[in-house]
Amino acid sequence: MQLRYAMTGLVVVLSLAGCQRTAYDYSSNASTGPAPLTAQPVPSVQGGQLPPPTGGSQFPAAPTTTAPMPGAEPGAMAANALDITKESMVGSWRVNGSCDMFLTLTNLGSGSRGGTRGCVGELTAMGSWEVAGKQVLLKDRSGNQLGSVYKTADNRFQGQTSTGQSISLSR
């Protein structure tokens, strides 16, 4: 048994003998740091009045319209249009069976943030949406109306774009 302890002690001593301290030696005079930079002359500062801004306003133009489109006014909507809540619209929708629309409750201008993936035509510019009465207004990133849809059944909406193209949303 004592031989085992002696051998273990010898292994520990030999393994520690191979270790050395690798800290920086502050006693050495080798100060080989970078040389200080020389100061550069600074030109004098000039003052004066700025010219007036050109091009009118720095803000984008207001949306052209938020009223319902002629083909989607309440009187022209289908007789079976159902009530809509904003919360029921949130999530992913299939558009015309070929692309996806995503609607969130994150505020963006007067509506909520939304977008499409894989769509063609006007819906590629969709940036926001809002509920107005029994219809959902789809808008571009500037707030201009792209189209509207109304609820025809649970998880089913029908409508059209501002150019008259048919829109069908389903889940």
Side-chain angles (χ1 to χ4, degrees):
M1 284 281 235
Q2 291 183 0
L3 183 60
R4 183 188 308 179
Y5 293 127
M7 292 301 286
T8 303
L10 183 62
V11 169
V12 169
V13 169
L14 288 175
S15 64
L16 290 177
C19 295
Q20 66 177 355
R21 187 172 177 167
T22 58
Y24 180 74
D25 183 14
Y26 292 102
S27 64
S28 70
N29 285 341
S31 58
T32 59
L37 297 174
T38 57
Q40 296 294 317
V42 178
S44 62
V45 177
Q46 299 175 355
Q49 189 67 21
L50 292 174
T54 59
S57 176
Q58 64 180 356
F59 300 104
T64 56
T65 180
T66 58
M69 294 180 300
E73 291 182 18
M77 283 194 302
N80 61 348
L82 304 172
D83 290 329
I84 306 168
T85 62
K86 196 169 189 177
E87 291 76 19
S88 68
M89 294 299 300
V90 174
S92 175
W93 293 87
R94 194 75 176 150
V95 181
N96 297 338
S98 62
C99 64
D100 297 310
M101 180 180 291
F102 304 97
L103 306 177
T104 70
L105 289 177
T106 306
N107 290 339
L108 181 67
S110 64
S112 297
R113 188 174 303 275
T116 60
R117 177 179 61 197
C119 293
V120 295
E122 292 175 273
L123 293 179
T124 58
M126 183 187 160
S128 68
W129 64 281
E130 66 180 81
V131 173
K134 292 188 173 192
Q135 64 182 343
V136 178
L137 304 177
L138 308 175
K139 298 181 176 184
D140 65 13
R141 292 169 188 88
S142 299
N144 300 314
Q145 189 171 332
L146 295 175
S148 65
V149 293
Y150 55 90
K151 188 172 184 177
T152 57
D154 285 341
N155 296 323
R156 184 94 176 141
F157 289 79
Q158 296 290 328
Q160 64 182 8
T161 65
S162 56
T163 59
Q165 181 183 17
S166 178
I167 304 173
S168 172
L169 302 180
S170 61
R171 289 197 216 225

